[in-house]
Amino acid sequence: MNSNPGQSYQQQASSNSERHDDDAALSEFLASLMDYNPTIPDELVEHYLAKSGFQCPDVRLTRLVAVATQKFIADVATESLQHCKARQSAVVKDKKQPKDKRLILTMEDLSKALREYGVNVKHQEYFADSPSAGLDPVSREE
Amino acid sequence: MNQGHSESSESRFYSAITRVSVAQICQSVGYKKAQNRALDILSNIAGRFIQAIADSATVSANSGGRTESNLADIVSALEELGSVQGFVGAHELQGSHCLMSSSVLKGIMRVVDWNEESPFAQPIPKKILPDVKKSGCQTGLVHVPRWLPEMPEITGNGLGLETKIRTEVMWEETSRKNFAERERKLLIEGSEKVKKGFELPEKRMKVKFKMGMGMVNKSFGMDIGMRNSGVFSRSGNGKRILCQGWNDE
C-alpha cells in the first residue's frame, strides 16, 4: 500500500506521540475533576444515573456528567439572561427601576432560550382555581 | 413536569436538591430572582439531561459489549445531546476519533479550568447501601456476582426448613375437625350414633323458628319444648324470635 516505509513509520511515530500527549492531557483533566466541586452534587447525579441503569464506579466520570449538566444549565440560563436584558433595554428607558430587581428568570425568557436547545416549553395562559372559575358569575351562583 | 403526589419521598428529595442547585447556577450566571415555574422547568430539564446522558452512555456501552460505561461513552453521549445545537468538529465524527479533539469535551475542560466553583450549599446525607464487598468473595462462593446483596446466614445444620415445626394444617383436616365439632354441639344424647365423616345423621332434631310479636305464643310444642327453647327478646315488646328444638326420641 504505502511505497515509503520510512515515511509511514514516521507518521505512526508522530501519531503515537500525539496519542500519548492526548492520553496525558486526558488523565490530567480527569485528575483535575477530582478536585473540582460542581454545583450539582455527586449524590444527585448518581441518583439520576442509577435511574437510567448507568453503571460506573468511577467518581471522576460522575463529576464529568455533573460538570456537563452544570454547563448546559448555565448556558441556558445565560441565554435567557441575554433575552431578559435585550427585552429590558428595548422597553422605555425612563422607567427607572433598581437594576437588581429586574434580573428575574421568567418563563418567557426561559422558553425562548430553551427553544434553541431543542426543548419546546408550552405553558398555560392562566391557571383556573376551580372548574367554575372561568364561568360568568350568574351561572356560578347557581 | 408537574410533580405528583404519587412520587416517592426519595425522588421528591432529589428533585428539591436539583431545584436548589439549579437556582445556585442561575445565581452564578447573574440572575437575582426566579419565577417558581421557570425554576421548576429548568430543574426538571436538568434531571432529564442527566438521565439522557446516562441512557445514551449505557446504550453505547452495551453495544460495545460492556456493562460499565467509560469516558468515551459519556463523551459520545454529550456529543449526541449537543448535536441539536451543533458543535465544532461535528461533521467529522464518523469512525473512531480522538477524545481530546472533541470540542464538547474541550468546552467542559474550559469550564473546569476557568469557572469559579460554587459547590452545593449543604452536605447531602449519603445513601446507606448494603455492604457489597461482603457478598460473593467473602462467603467463598466465587460464582455469586459482587453486586448481589449479602447472603442470608444459614443457621444450624442448613436444614432449617425441615426442622421447623409444622404449624400449618391442611384444609381437609380443618374442615373435618370443624364439622365434627359442630355436630357435637348440635346433637344432644344419641350423637354417638352419628357416623364419622361427612355423612349426615339419620335423624335430625326438629328446629322451629317463629318470628313476630311474641307476646302471644301459640306454638303447640310449647309445653314440651320450653326447656330447649331459646328466646331472644329486645326490651319489652320488641320483636321476638322463638327458637324451639325438641327431640323426637
Side-chain angles (χ1 to χ4, degrees):
Chain A
M1 291 267 271
N2 211 324
S3 55
N4 194 344
Q7 195 185 347
S8 82
Y9 177 76
Q10 214 167 10
Q11 275 177 352
Q12 210 177 357
S14 68
S15 75
N16 269 352
S17 70
E18 265 176 36
R19 186 159 292 173
H20 191 75
D21 286 350
D22 286 351
D23 282 350
L26 263 183
S27 54
E28 194 184 321
F29 166 61
L30 287 176
S32 72
L33 277 175
M34 286 302 283
D35 304 327
Y36 188 79
N37 284 320
T39 311
I40 298 172
D42 289 346
E43 287 85 357
L44 185 67
V45 179
E46 276 165 17
H47 167 77
Y48 282 120
L49 291 182
K51 238 179 160 182
S52 300
F54 181 90
Q55 236 183 331
C56 184
D58 200 341
V59 191
R60 296 174 298 177
L61 295 189
T62 317
R63 288 263 167 90
L64 180 67
V65 174
V67 176
T69 313
Q70 186 182 334
K71 181 174 179 287
F72 176 76
I73 297 296
D75 285 351
V76 173
T78 314
E79 193 87 25
S80 63
L81 189 69
Q82 297 311 317
H83 279 291
C84 179
K85 281 177 178 169
R87 193 161 45 85
Q88 277 167 359
S89 63
V91 174
V92 201
K93 284 170 184 172
D94 51 22
K95 279 185 183 176
K96 284 191 177 175
Q97 291 171 328
K99 208 176 182 181
D100 290 356
K101 285 193 178 178
R102 292 193 303 173
L103 296 175
I104 302 170
L105 177 68
T106 54
M107 283 296 296
E108 194 187 346
D109 301 328
L110 184 66
S111 54
K112 268 184 202 164
L114 280 172
R115 199 165 299 149
E116 292 175 32
Y117 288 84
V119 183
N120 287 316
V121 183
K122 290 183 178 170
H123 49 98
Q124 293 95 330
E125 296 300 319
Y126 63 90
F127 283 111
D129 297 312
S130 64
S132 63
L135 303 174
D136 53 316
V138 183
S139 63
R140 205 193 303 165
E141 273 170 22
E142 287 166 5
Chain B
M1 289 268 158
N2 198 11
Q3 273 97 33
H5 292 285
S6 55
E7 265 187 314
S8 69
S9 64
E10 193 193 357
S11 64
R12 254 183 291 145
F13 172 68
Y14 281 113
S15 59
I17 294 176
T18 319
R19 207 178 138 86
V20 174
S21 48
V22 165
Q24 250 179 289
I25 294 169
C26 289
Q27 201 183 24
S28 71
V29 161
Y31 272 116
K32 302 293 177 195
K33 282 184 178 181
Q35 279 182 353
N36 261 328
R37 279 168 56 214
L39 203 56
D40 275 342
I41 285 173
L42 202 54
S43 50
N44 188 292
I45 285 168
R48 280 165 197 270
F49 188 79
I50 301 175
Q51 284 191 38
I53 294 174
D55 280 334
S56 180
T58 310
V59 166
S60 84
N62 286 345
S63 66
R66 283 169 282 121
T67 53
E68 289 182 349
S69 306
N70 59 18
L71 183 63
D73 295 328
I74 292 176
V75 171
S76 75
L78 289 174
E79 280 171 351
E80 195 184 314
L81 283 168
S83 63
V84 178
Q85 269 240 313
F87 52 89
V88 181
H91 65 286
E92 46 182 14
L93 269 185
Q94 324 97 308
S96 61
H97 65 287
C98 187
L99 284 179
M100 275 310 285
S101 61
S102 164
S103 64
V104 177
L105 193 62
K106 275 178 186 162
I108 293 171
M109 288 165 88
R110 228 173 292 133
V111 170
V112 174
D113 285 343
W114 297 105
N115 270 33
E116 221 176 283
E117 58 179 85
S118 57
F120 193 71
Q122 292 270 326
I124 295 164
K126 198 80 173 151
K127 213 199 265 181
I128 299 155
L129 289 167
D131 197 359
V132 192
K133 283 177 188 169
K134 270 191 178 177
S135 77
C137 313
Q138 289 208 353
T139 48
L141 305 168
V142 192
H143 62 279
V144 179
R146 269 194 308 116
W147 43 266
L148 277 180
E150 205 174 330
M151 296 279 281
E153 292 210 359
I154 302 160
T155 50
N157 51 1
L159 301 168
L161 279 176
E162 289 178 26
T163 49
K164 214 168 87 180
I165 303 157
R166 193 164 152 266
T167 49
E168 298 101 330
V169 188
M170 301 291 279
W171 176 78
E172 294 92 353
E173 291 167 37
T174 54
S175 62
R176 197 166 287 204
K177 203 176 162 189
N178 286 349
F179 187 76
E181 274 177 23
R182 226 183 302 142
E183 288 209 320
R184 219 172 293 136
K185 279 179 190 171
L186 272 173
L187 300 170
I188 349 165
E189 292 112 7
S191 62
E192 288 95 348
K193 288 174 189 171
V194 178
K195 289 174 186 173
K196 286 174 187 172
F198 290 96
E199 287 174 40
L200 291 170
E202 282 175 5
K203 275 189 178 179
R204 306 174 84 184
M205 56 182 235
K206 284 179 186 171
V207 181
K208 192 179 175 184
F209 288 96
K210 200 173 184 186
M211 295 177 73
M213 301 302 284
M215 301 307 283
V216 191
N217 195 349
K218 285 179 182 175
S219 149
F220 41 81
M222 188 182 69
D223 295 344
I224 319 153
M226 222 27 199
R227 271 178 220 154
N228 295 334
S229 71
V231 179
F232 308 95
S233 69
R234 240 199 291 159
S235 63
N237 52 358
K239 276 183 187 173
R240 191 169 275 200
I241 301 165
L242 181 65
C243 172
Q244 287 177 329
W246 64 98
N247 212 343
D248 276 357
E249 288 176 51

